[in-house]
Amino acid sequence: MMINSPAIVIHSLRYSEADLIVTLFTKTNGLQTYIQKGVLKSKRGKIRASFFQPLTILEIEASHRNKGTLERIKDARVLSHYASLHTDVIKSALVFFISDILKSSIQEEEANLDLFEYLQTTILWLDTHDTIGNFHIAFLTKLTQYLGFYPDDSNLNDDCFNMQEGIFQSEDTNIYCVSGNHISKFKEFLGTTFEGSMNIRLSKNTRSEILTMLLVYFELHLHGFKKPKSLSVLNEIFT
């Protein structure tokens, strides 16, 4: 079966001297993994190794034989040529962080149009904006909505956030209940627009505390989720 679909590059891994194993989140078929033979040494081929930088948005034509082996991409082209995403140091750090998050978060080999459109929209937004200090906080918070564990915001007047249940409550009931100034600031991200969240004023320490809390929240609600290896780099930049 041949598929034609927009696709977002999640991860690529060198395999042998000239091959790449690439993981893409496709619009039509969800998460898919392909092997591209010889792409690292090919100088004239239609498909370039540079196409598979993290979060590149492609249009692909691929053969799906569904025989339990890695599939092949027959043709690919870049849909969106970024202005700054892979050249700006801060944005590059965010790109690797986001791709690490998505690698641990997306597992379904089926279409999720809402999630795809969210990722495409936010990636393009990051490429074209400069006020991005809260981007990773806003991105993760909104991502929970598409992954099925967005916090219940019906009791925002309560001070304690129960990460295990994803609710706000008046007192601690388990070891995953957290409170403090960072939770008060986190509430501001709930229900606001993505652009509006960039105007939320956070100290470096508070931003770090919210990020740490969100990663624990992801660990609690996603089987197999691992804290990104790129977290230390991101913390150096934003904290």
Side-chain angles (χ1 to χ4, degrees):
M1 177 181 71
M2 296 297 296
I3 73 158
N4 290 275
S5 176
I8 298 169
V9 178
I10 304 299
H11 179 66
S12 64
L13 176 68
R14 184 169 186 153
Y15 180 74
S16 74
E17 290 188 4
D19 305 342
L20 274 181
I21 294 176
V22 297
T23 302
L24 309 181
F25 183 55
T26 69
K27 187 173 184 177
T28 60
N29 295 72
L31 196 68
Q32 298 291 329
T33 301
Y34 302 93
I35 186 166
Q36 292 306 111
K37 292 186 176 294
V39 70
L40 292 174
K41 288 189 174 180
S42 174
K43 295 182 179 180
R44 296 183 178 179
K46 291 186 294 183
I47 301 177
R48 309 285 181 85
S50 60
F51 289 3
F52 302 108
Q53 294 183 76
L55 303 190
T56 300
I57 302 173
L58 303 172
E59 178 79 33
I60 66 165
E61 179 183 332
S63 172
H64 283 199
R65 294 176 294 175
N66 300 316
K67 292 184 178 180
T69 57
L70 293 176
E71 311 290 7
R72 295 284 302 275
I73 297 172
K74 300 295 186 183
D75 197 7
R77 66 182 181 90
V78 177
L79 272 183
S80 301
H81 292 275
Y82 298 134
S84 61
L85 213 59
H86 291 136
T87 54
D88 181 281
V89 173
I90 294 175
K91 291 183 181 183
S92 292
L94 284 167
V95 164
F96 282 105
F97 175 78
I98 293 166
S99 64
D100 277 350
I101 290 290
L102 297 178
K103 186 168 59 174
S104 288
S105 301
I106 303 175
Q107 299 166 353
E108 301 85 0
E109 292 185 6
E110 58 186 33
N112 186 333
L113 298 182
D114 290 340
L115 176 57
F116 185 91
E117 289 175 4
Y118 169 68
L119 297 179
Q120 184 176 42
T121 299
T122 51
I123 292 167
L124 292 173
W125 188 95
L126 178 60
D127 183 51
T128 56
H129 289 75
D130 296 321
T131 303
I132 56 173
N134 293 337
F135 180 87
H136 49 312
I137 304 297
F139 178 85
L140 291 177
T141 302
K142 189 72 172 176
L143 181 61
T144 64
Q145 181 176 335
Y146 297 94
L147 298 178
F149 53 97
Y150 188 77
D152 183 342
D153 58 2
S154 58
N155 293 308
L156 286 180
N157 289 328
D158 291 335
D159 295 330
C160 179
F161 181 47
N162 183 334
M163 292 188 290
Q164 191 171 54
E165 301 297 330
I167 60 174
F168 292 91
Q169 53 193 47
S170 59
E171 59 184 20
D172 291 359
T173 55
N174 61 52
I175 61 172
Y176 297 112
C177 291
V178 287
S179 57
N181 180 62
H182 68 296
I183 298 302
S184 297
K185 299 301 290 186
F186 172 60
K187 292 176 184 178
E188 296 184 33
F189 286 86
L190 303 176
T192 191
T193 64
F194 200 88
E195 287 209 8
S197 66
M198 298 302 131
N199 298 319
I200 297 172
R201 300 188 67 176
L202 299 176
S203 68
K204 292 180 178 180
N205 187 59
T206 299
R207 184 179 287 113
S208 178
E209 289 178 329
I210 294 174
L211 179 58
T212 298
M213 181 273 294
L214 278 168
L215 293 176
V216 173
Y217 189 50
F218 270 67
E219 284 184 290
L220 287 171
H221 292 271
L222 289 176
H223 178 71
F225 180 84
K226 298 178 181 178
K227 288 183 180 178
K229 295 178 181 179
S230 53
L231 178 60
S232 60
V233 176
L234 200 70
N235 277 333
E236 280 198 23
I237 292 174
F238 286 102
T239 61

